[in-house]
Amino acid sequence: MNAIELLKKDHETVKELLSRLEETTERAVQTRKKLISKIEQELKIHTALEEQIFYPAFRQAGSKEDAVLAIEAKEEHRAVEALVLPDIKQTSPSTLEFAGRVKVLKELLEHHIEEEENDMFPQARKLLGKRELEDLGQAMETLRKSLKQGEAKAA
């Protein structure tokens, strides 16, 4: 699978988990906890794939404007990881505040995904070409397996 297809598949997974989470009510405490944990796990792996493999290749192949796109995307990752997710995890799933914070997370991630899929990915196709995208996809699959094994050992 090429790098862009792999990342788009991850985007679909996260969007689907966010939709399921947003549909829950204050009474679904355990479901909300499980979904937020799963979203966090998916985002950690996806972020690592992008930041360690995809963004560096994109920046190297591209212009200053392309580098700015990658830097902005990385900052959006940081905002979610450092601010929004920790805030949600400290909020009781049985509250309206939890639902509000989930909505903010969903909006941030949808914006991020839209920018990547509409701006960065088409540009990456031009800059990197089919062969390099295949190679990057392979490297990302390898890293994903390694990260999942690391999680399994930590659990």
Side-chain angles (χ1 to χ4, degrees):
M1 184 179 301
N2 87 32
I4 292 172
E5 290 168 5
L6 188 144
L7 295 173
K8 281 184 165 184
K9 191 169 173 260
D10 283 358
H11 289 168
E12 288 306 312
T13 299
V14 169
K15 287 195 299 193
E16 193 266 327
L17 289 167
L18 284 165
S19 291
R20 285 179 37 205
L21 180 59
E22 199 174 40
E23 292 167 5
T24 63
T25 66
E26 294 81 36
R27 292 172 24 155
V29 172
Q30 291 309 315
T31 301
R32 283 181 164 188
K33 285 180 183 177
K34 284 179 188 159
L35 283 169
I36 209 66
S37 177
K38 180 72 175 149
I39 289 166
E40 182 179 36
Q41 176 186 16
E42 290 290 330
L43 290 176
K44 262 186 192 156
I45 291 171
H46 180 79
T47 297
L49 299 180
E50 286 186 330
E51 292 184 4
Q52 293 177 35
I53 297 171
F54 188 75
Y55 293 169
F58 181 75
R59 284 183 70 172
Q60 185 176 3
S63 66
K64 183 179 176 184
E65 289 80 20
D66 298 321
V68 169
L69 266 180
I71 291 165
E72 181 185 338
K74 195 171 179 180
E75 287 305 308
E76 288 170 348
H77 288 171
R78 227 170 48 91
V80 167
E81 286 177 6
L83 302 170
V84 181
L85 266 176
D87 203 28
I88 290 172
K89 288 170 60 180
Q90 291 177 355
T91 304
S92 172
S94 65
T95 64
L96 293 173
E97 286 77 9
F98 183 89
R101 290 173 181 162
V102 164
K103 185 162 181 58
V104 168
L105 174 67
K106 186 172 187 250
E107 288 170 356
L108 281 170
L109 290 173
E110 284 173 346
H111 165 79
H112 176 77
I113 288 167
E114 189 177 307
E115 280 191 341
E116 283 188 342
E117 292 187 359
N118 294 338
D119 300 334
M120 186 182 284
F121 292 173
Q123 182 66 358
R125 273 195 186 89
K126 289 180 205 166
L127 293 170
L128 299 169
K130 188 173 180 163
R131 181 76 197 129
E132 189 165 355
L133 287 171
E134 292 290 336
D135 292 346
L136 291 172
Q138 192 65 47
M140 290 161 80
E141 291 279 11
T142 302
L143 179 57
R144 179 191 305 275
K145 282 185 186 128
S146 166
L147 291 169
K148 285 195 173 195
Q149 286 172 345
E151 275 184 9
K153 288 177 184 169

